[in-house]
Amino acid sequence: IQGHTLSRYIDSSRKNDPKLAAMIVRKVAKAMEEAHGSGVIHRDLKPANILTGQFGVTYVIDWGLAKVWGEPDIAHPEMGHDEDPALTPVGRRYGTPFYMAPELARGDAHIDGRADVFSLGLILYEILTHRQLINGETMQDANTENMIFDIPTLIEIITEVMTLHPG
């Protein structure tokens, strides 16, 4: 597949086009709608797993951690507290902490498509504000923040975006 990751797009410019960002997020949302309609949860949706190509083509990649609703999850080993939270941990059955829904971070047994929708919201926030909502130097930091961070209100997000993208 030819194209660039959404991570590269975010990193390449501090003046990302909000219309292009909305188009990309809409296409990813449509892909998730299709997957969820088939009973599949991605569980590792993040900018590095979204490719944008020529002519507006957008791909959601790396379905290796996907799960079919209702199927049992295979147990995973305990994660090291000093692992890099920007990466999917080795041996982890799902998720990257910076883009993980709280129910995934907690290890809840019953996960559905809302986890992917939450991750997509975090991605949109990052595209528009040029910063991640969940941060941390280590896995423990990111998981702790994931449990306690305050989700900004829509007005707060719009104000921040308008500051970055006036007009």
Side-chain angles (χ1 to χ4, degrees), residues 10-93:
I10 293 169
D11 293 341
S12 70
S13 173
R14 303 305 285 174
K15 289 269 191 188
N16 294 332
D17 177 3
K19 290 180 185 176
L20 178 58
M23 180 190 73
I24 292 168
V25 170
R26 184 175 53 89
K27 289 180 179 183
V28 174
K30 184 66 176 162
M32 291 300 94
E33 178 184 36
E34 292 291 326
H36 297 164
S38 298
V40 177
I41 313 163
H42 189 281
R43 299 195 303 178
D44 196 21
L45 200 55
K46 59 186 175 183
N49 287 342
I50 299 169
L51 290 180
T52 58
Q54 293 181 332
F55 312 112
V57 176
T58 300
Y59 301 96
V60 177
I61 62 171
D62 195 358
W63 291 82
L65 300 179
K67 179 180 189 275
V68 176
W69 290 343
E71 287 188 5
D73 222 356
I74 299 170
H76 56 78
E78 193 62 34
M79 298 299 102
H81 295 297
D82 59 348
E83 291 185 63
D84 184 349
L87 304 173
T88 303
V90 175
R92 182 75 174 216
R93 296 303 303 166

Side-chain angles (χ1 to χ4, degrees), residues 79-89 92 95-100 105 132 134-147:
M79 298 299 102
H81 295 297
D82 59 348
E83 291 185 63
D84 184 349
L87 304 173
T88 303
R92 182 75 174 216
T96 301
F98 290 155
Y99 303 98
M100 189 182 291
Q132 294 173 319
I134 298 173
N135 295 290
E137 293 291 321
T138 66
M139 179 72 65
Q140 181 65 36
D141 292 344
N143 281 336
T144 299
E145 183 160 328
N146 191 307
M147 299 300 168

Side-chain angles (χ1 to χ4, degrees), residues 107-151:
D108 291 0
H110 301 287
I111 304 297
D112 60 29
R114 292 175 290 185
D116 289 337
V117 173
F118 187 89
S119 297
L120 187 56
L122 293 174
I123 292 166
L124 178 59
Y125 181 86
E126 183 177 349
I127 291 169
L128 295 176
T129 65
H130 310 289
R131 65 183 185 91
Q132 294 173 319
L133 195 55
I134 298 173
N135 295 290
E137 293 291 321
T138 66
M139 179 72 65
Q140 181 65 36
D141 292 344
N143 281 336
T144 299
E145 183 160 328
N146 191 307
M147 299 300 168
I148 61 170
F149 79 99
D150 290 325
I151 297 174

